[in-house]
Amino acid sequence: MKAITIEELETIDSTGCCIIDIRPEEQYRRGTFPGAVNIPMEQLDERKAQLPKEKTLYVLCHTGERSRGCAEELEEEGYDAVNVSGGYRAYLKLSLSRYMEKETEEKRREKTAEIERSIIKKFRKSIWRPFTKALNEYQLIQEGDRIAVCISGGKDSMLLAKLIQELKRHGRISFEAVFLVMNPGYNADNWRIIQDNAALLGIPLTVFQSDIFDTVAQIDRNPCYLCARMRRGYLYAKAKELGCNKIALGHHFDDVIETILMGMLYSGKIETMMPKLHSQHFEGMELIRPLYLVKEEAIKAWRDYNGLHFIQCACRFTENCVSCGGGRGSKRDEMKELIAQFRKTSSVIDTNIFNSVTNINLRTVIGYHKDDWTYGFLDDYDAKK
């Protein structure tokens, strides 16, 4: 199978070729290689007749993995097809690196300031107010806290870092923040993108290494669950070592209501992510979720307004299926689709899902439990005659 790098693709005369981006349309709209046309992978078979056989076809996905298979199929059917190694992720890394090298320190500071202003001004209603409401309503940050803001490199954790920075500058509570990044074995491109975005956003990173990806690679059953638990443990341990009493994660409003639906539909129970939790294994440590009331659509709008491009999936094992636009992903992906349909039906359904776990009438449920204590409605049914 013929392949070409992003750097080599930039030197090709576009008149004699056709660059095909097979990622989902939403990802394509947010950014692609110059001159690329979008044919999502699931539509490629039905649209092959539109492809010119007299031109070389350069096939692009997110990482270069799924595009390789598509290019091979096209080649077998008589097309002159070439895979773009590294995919859009490699192009993003290259573009960010060039921007950081080309722009002066003053220009970068201006860009950082613009991004910060957008949080307080343009996105005041949709981001800043829900953020501060969650802080106050759930008492997430107190005077004298030292918080490890955990950054994965995606849009949610990067926005969380900027919000915490703005809170330190303009808030009334005195606290400290450490912007903590664990590298569990990221792909080199992803790792470079994380570092360049942090520099662009003015986020000073505290970095430590782990071998979680290598460990999880040996696990066949439910590796994502094990990976998440291990990552949480490593973050707690490092944060405590750094003198922190809290870790802050970037889970948002949509994560909360998706969890409610997953519990109901797949586990037969009512529960959700909590806005804060005491650690069971690290004494004196607490987990907080400051984006608890911020909707994902607002985070995406902030990202796109500022022309930011974050990694989509840092995991070595899932990036080639989810990020490249493969088939259906996790149960959480199913919940995202379900909630999207609900929002088309009504503007209040998502809020009502959230409110369903804050307004429970214990007289109208068959049973409930807390720790080892359980209750069934028959326990005192006759006594309420």
Side-chain angles (χ1 to χ4, degrees):
M1 180 70 246
K2 291 183 290 186
I4 190 172
T5 66
I6 285 291
E7 291 89 344
E8 291 170 333
L9 185 59
E10 288 181 319
T11 67
I12 299 295
D13 182 1
S14 60
T15 58
C17 71
C18 180
I19 304 169
I20 305 168
D21 188 333
I22 64 168
R23 296 176 301 149
E25 183 181 359
E26 179 187 0
Q27 295 178 22
Y28 170 82
R29 286 200 307 267
R30 290 201 55 249
T32 189
F33 188 88
V37 297
N38 184 220
I39 304 180
M41 189 172 68
E42 63 272 15
Q43 299 178 20
L44 192 57
D45 281 342
E46 61 187 72
R47 295 176 62 180
K48 279 178 184 174
Q50 304 172 15
L51 301 177
K53 284 201 170 184
E54 71 278 6
K55 290 187 176 184
T56 301
L57 306 180
Y58 294 97
V59 189
L60 172 82
C61 70
H62 184 67
T63 65
E65 295 298 320
R66 289 191 173 272
S67 56
R68 182 189 299 120
C70 290
E72 288 175 352
E73 290 181 17
L74 289 169
E75 191 175 50
E76 289 172 2
E77 296 183 26
Y79 293 92
D80 181 18
V82 180
N83 182 46
V84 181
S85 300
Y88 178 72
R89 184 176 62 187
Y91 177 68
L92 177 57
K93 184 196 81 166
L94 184 64
S95 300
L96 274 171
S97 297
R98 285 173 175 169
Y99 174 85
M100 298 303 290
E101 291 171 2
K102 181 183 69 175
E103 294 297 338
T104 64
E105 184 67 28
E106 182 180 356
K107 285 287 187 182
R108 290 202 296 270
R109 283 199 301 269
E110 288 176 3
K111 177 64 174 177
T112 303
E114 288 174 9
I115 294 169
E116 292 167 350
R117 281 195 298 271
S118 73
I119 293 173
I120 303 299
K121 294 186 176 180
K122 182 173 179 61
F123 296 97
R124 188 175 191 85
K125 183 178 179 180
S126 59
I127 292 179
W128 183 252
R129 286 179 183 171
F131 165 68
T132 55
K133 181 181 179 181
L135 296 182
N136 295 327
E137 193 163 314
Y138 305 118
Q139 301 175 21
L140 300 184
I141 297 178
Q142 278 85 38
E143 193 82 19
D145 278 344
R146 183 172 169 83
I147 303 169
V149 182
C150 301
I151 297 175
S152 66
K155 66 185 188 313
D156 308 326
S157 62
M158 287 293 194
L159 173 60
L160 173 61
K162 291 309 300 177
L163 287 167
I164 294 294
Q165 281 186 327
E166 289 301 296
L167 186 68
K168 278 183 60 64
R169 290 169 185 157
H170 307 295
R172 298 176 182 177
I173 299 174
S174 176
F175 69 96
E176 296 181 54
V178 176
F179 300 98
L180 189 60
V181 178
M182 176 179 64
N183 184 346
Y186 288 145
N187 172 282
D189 286 344
N190 275 338
W191 184 232
R192 184 72 260 166
I193 291 170
I194 290 171
Q195 293 174 300
D196 284 343
N197 271 324
L200 177 62
L201 293 170
I203 301 170
L205 300 181
T206 297
V207 178
F208 72 104
Q209 307 287 326
S210 76
D211 59 357
I212 290 178
F213 282 179
D214 288 336
T215 302
V216 175
Q218 312 302 317
I219 305 298
D220 293 326
R221 186 176 179 182
N222 207 359
C224 295
Y225 174 77
L226 176 62
C227 182
R229 287 184 63 87
M230 290 180 67
R231 287 161 69 96
R232 187 80 53 85
Y234 272 89
L235 289 168
Y236 267 126
K238 188 64 178 181
K240 190 163 188 177
E241 177 188 319
L242 294 170
C244 299
N245 65 313
K246 293 179 179 178
I247 66 171
L249 302 183
H251 296 121
H252 48 65
F253 178 88
D254 288 56
D255 292 320
V256 177
I257 62 175
E258 287 159 17
T259 302
I260 296 171
L261 291 181
M262 282 195 296
M264 293 174 63
L265 300 180
Y266 285 105
S267 300
K269 56 188 177 182
I270 296 176
E271 63 180 15
T272 189
M273 287 180 174
M274 298 299 287
K276 62 180 181 180
L277 293 167
H278 289 295
S279 173
Q280 296 179 347
H281 305 291
F282 295 87
E283 187 177 354
M285 294 293 295
E286 193 174 9
L287 179 154
I288 62 173
R289 295 183 168 108
L291 297 182
Y292 202 73
L293 300 179
V294 180
K295 294 186 178 183
E296 187 175 25
E297 62 182 0
I299 300 174
K300 289 180 177 179
W302 168 80
R303 173 199 65 191
D304 296 346
Y305 175 81
N306 289 293
L308 299 170
H309 297 270
F310 302 113
I311 62 173
Q312 298 171 46
C313 182
C315 177
R316 183 190 303 167
F317 312 108
T318 63
E319 61 186 0
N320 294 333
C321 57
V322 179
S323 295
C324 285
R328 180 180 293 276
S330 65
K331 287 183 173 61
R332 188 167 291 277
D333 293 327
E334 293 179 27
M335 297 304 102
K336 286 183 183 294
E337 293 177 16
L338 184 59
I339 290 168
Q341 291 301 314
F342 286 154
R343 283 171 168 154
K344 291 178 182 178
T345 303
S346 169
S347 62
V348 300
I349 290 181
D350 56 357
T351 302
N352 286 342
I353 294 171
F354 180 87
N355 289 341
S356 71
V357 295
T358 67
N359 189 29
I360 298 173
N361 183 349
L362 294 180
R363 291 297 186 192
T364 63
V365 296
I366 295 173
Y368 55 90
H369 64 87
K370 183 176 182 181
D371 299 325
D372 295 330
W373 181 80
T374 61
Y375 168 84
F377 83 102
L378 289 176
D379 292 350
D380 58 358
Y381 176 74
D382 289 330
K384 292 184 288 187
K385 283 196 246 183

